[in-house]
């Protein structure tokens, strides 16, 4: 191993790849090299650094942790200097749809990470919330997750509720943990999926856990090593035989639940870079405008469109809806067989 410009808490490193190491995944190669050098860098941390553009192969930036390395290549790694674990407030615009003294509901855009993590130490929703709420933000979630009761994937858009006080945080956490069994909780998503389901509606009841080989992915697993996960779905609109718009209601809230469950059914979410890789060739069957819209999307076509819950302090019924954002509305319009724009209709009125 060779290194350059190393500081006590970060540095720039260079790792030549021996012929015997050819074929290894990039993140595994780096994890082994870092461990051999005594550096405390987990594969999760390294994946974040790779996706943040801090790793190069022969001088060219790479962002795919699963890419195989080859003998003779030179891997470059830049590890940022350590930062204060307490996130700082940042002036990031927020689309707030409701706010009172106890909580706020916002419409999160795609691309916004919810809380700081490896590779995303700043520019997150938490940074924006700290700036917006100041000292009133609930601290129950810890310094990295203040006010956060539930989350959306970085590239999923839509409604999210945040606790501003500890009392609200406790009440909301109880509601979300109940999953709507005894307390009123409604969460529905709009998802554009490949193909047309054989039935107008259905339920996916399949436990989820870490993928046996790729630990960064979630998969349907045996109940003995998975967590109970249930997704209710129904078809909203069919776009020929190639794609459909469905509404998904969560009975549980597991990581990547909708994305994994719909892929398990043979109808993965359009644009999903992880769980719909095998469906990329189907894009050629879409109308040209739809192909262009899908290529421009650069994210999974998933939107948290409905959020309903009892106010954690007053008990009042709260219900919010979010229309498709422009990128997904453009995709819907391009997919429409009739060529007419698809108007947004409140989800509960679509039954």
């Amino acid at each position: 191993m060779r290194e350059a410009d190393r500081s006590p808490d970060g540095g720039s490193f260079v790792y030549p790849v021996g012929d015997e190491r050819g074929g290894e995944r990039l993140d595994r190669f780096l994890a082994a090299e870092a461990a051999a050098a005594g550096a405390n860098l987990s594969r999760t941390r390294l994946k974040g650094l790779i996706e943040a553009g801090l790793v190069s192969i022969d001088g060219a930036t790479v962002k795919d942790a699963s890419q195989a390395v080859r003998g003779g290549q030179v891997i470059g790694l830049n590890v940022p200097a350590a930062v204060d674990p307490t996130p700082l407030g940042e002036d990031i615009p927020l689309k707030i749809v409701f706010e009172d003294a106890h909580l706020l509901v916002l419409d999160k855009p795609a691309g916004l990470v919810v809380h700081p993590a490896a590779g995303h130490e700043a520019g997150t929703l938490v940074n924006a919330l700290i700036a917006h709420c100041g000292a009133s933000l609930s601290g129950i979630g810890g310094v990295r997750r203040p006010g956060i009761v539930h989350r959306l994937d970085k590239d999923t858009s839509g409604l999210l509720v945040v606790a501003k006080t500890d009392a609200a945080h406790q009440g909301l956490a109880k509601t979300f943990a109940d999953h709507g069994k005894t307390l009123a909780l409604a969460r529905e998503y709009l998802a554009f999926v490949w193909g047309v389901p054989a039935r107008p509606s259905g339920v996916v009841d399949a436990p989820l856990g870490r993928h046996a080989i790729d630990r960064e992915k979630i998969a349907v697993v045996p109940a003995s090593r998975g967590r109970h996960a249930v997704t209710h779905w129904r078809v909203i609109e069919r776009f020929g035989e190639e794609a459909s718009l469905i509404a998904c209601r969560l009975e549980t809230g597991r990581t990547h639940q909708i994305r994994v469950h719909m892929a398990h059914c043979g109808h993965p979410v359009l644009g999903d870079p992880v769980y719909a890789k095998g469906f990329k060739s189907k894009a050629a069957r879409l109308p040209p405008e739809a192909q262009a819209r899908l290529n421009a999307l650069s994210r999974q076509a998933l939107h948290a469109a409905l959020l309903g819950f009892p106010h954690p302090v007053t008990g009042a019924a709260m219900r919010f809806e979010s229309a498709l954002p422009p990128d997904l509305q453009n995709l819907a319009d391009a997919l429409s067989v009739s060529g007419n724009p698809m108007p947004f209709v409140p989800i509960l009125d679509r039954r």
Side-chain angles (χ1 to χ4, degrees):
M1 181 192 77
R2 293 184 288 119
E3 58 181 308
D5 303 324
R6 181 170 182 174
S7 64
D9 52 9
S12 300
F13 304 87
V14 176
Y15 300 94
V17 182
D19 291 338
E20 73 283 0
R21 303 290 298 280
E24 286 188 26
R25 282 175 54 112
L26 176 60
D27 55 351
R28 290 177 180 168
F29 172 83
L30 285 174
E33 290 295 306
N40 183 24
L41 290 173
S42 67
R43 280 184 62 191
T44 299
R45 168 66 167 157
L46 286 166
K47 181 180 179 182
L49 295 173
I50 293 168
E51 293 178 345
L54 297 175
V55 173
S56 63
I57 295 180
D58 292 340
T61 299
V62 291
K63 294 188 176 183
D64 182 1
S66 66
Q67 181 171 331
V69 300
R70 299 195 307 271
Q73 290 181 327
V74 176
I75 313 301
L77 169 66
N78 291 314
V79 181
V83 297
D84 190 327
T86 303
L88 301 176
E90 297 180 44
D91 186 15
I92 300 172
L94 294 174
K95 184 179 179 180
I96 296 173
V97 298
F98 174 84
E99 182 174 13
D100 65 10
H102 304 286
L103 58 84
L104 62 85
V105 177
L106 57 94
D107 204 336
K108 186 187 87 67
L112 180 62
V113 175
V114 172
H115 54 78
H120 299 285
E121 300 294 343
T124 72
L125 173 61
V126 163
N127 298 108
L129 290 171
I130 291 172
H132 178 79
C133 300
S136 69
L137 194 63
S138 170
I140 290 179
V143 296
R144 308 286 281 184
R145 298 172 60 103
I148 302 302
V149 180
H150 66 123
R151 61 183 293 273
L152 297 176
D153 293 338
K154 172 189 173 184
D155 290 326
T156 296
S157 54
L159 296 167
L160 193 72
V161 59
V162 174
K164 294 174 62 177
T165 65
D166 289 351
H169 201 133
Q170 291 170 343
L172 287 169
K174 181 178 179 180
T175 298
F176 277 83
D178 181 70
H179 299 304
K181 294 182 179 68
T182 60
L183 300 173
L185 174 65
R187 285 180 294 170
E188 288 202 358
Y189 293 68
L190 291 176
F192 293 84
V193 301
W194 286 111
V196 178
R199 294 175 293 149
S201 63
V203 180
V204 185
D205 185 346
L208 299 178
R210 289 291 171 184
H211 193 283
I213 299 174
D214 187 346
R215 305 300 291 175
E216 303 300 323
K217 293 175 62 176
I218 305 297
V220 171
V221 299
S224 60
R225 65 182 187 89
R227 302 182 70 187
H228 179 57
V230 179
T231 302
H232 300 258
W233 59 268
R234 66 185 183 281
V235 177
I236 300 301
E237 185 163 341
R238 297 171 177 81
F239 304 107
E241 298 297 323
E242 307 307 328
S244 305
L245 173 66
I246 64 172
C248 293
R249 178 171 62 84
L250 294 183
E251 187 174 311
T252 56
R254 309 303 182 199
T255 300
H256 298 178
Q257 179 172 317
I258 293 174
R259 298 164 61 189
V260 178
H261 271 176
M262 295 316 300
H264 179 66
C265 293
H267 301 287
V269 178
L270 268 68
D272 191 326
V274 178
Y275 303 106
K277 285 184 176 180
F279 283 70
K280 286 184 177 181
S281 60
K282 289 181 69 68
R285 302 182 186 179
L286 298 175
E289 181 64 19
Q291 292 184 44
R293 296 295 186 185
L294 181 58
N295 289 335
L297 192 61
S298 298
R299 67 159 174 128
Q300 60 263 13
L302 184 62
H303 179 67
L306 171 69
L307 180 62
F309 55 90
H311 193 288
V313 176
T314 69
M318 314 290 287
R319 182 178 182 277
F320 305 94
E321 291 191 6
S322 170
L324 289 172
D327 59 349
L328 294 187
Q329 184 63 63
N330 290 338
L331 177 63
D333 295 345
L335 286 169
S336 178
V337 175
S338 65
N340 296 319
M342 187 196 73
F344 177 79
V345 179
I347 295 175
L348 294 184
D349 296 337
R350 286 175 162 147
R351 295 186 186 278

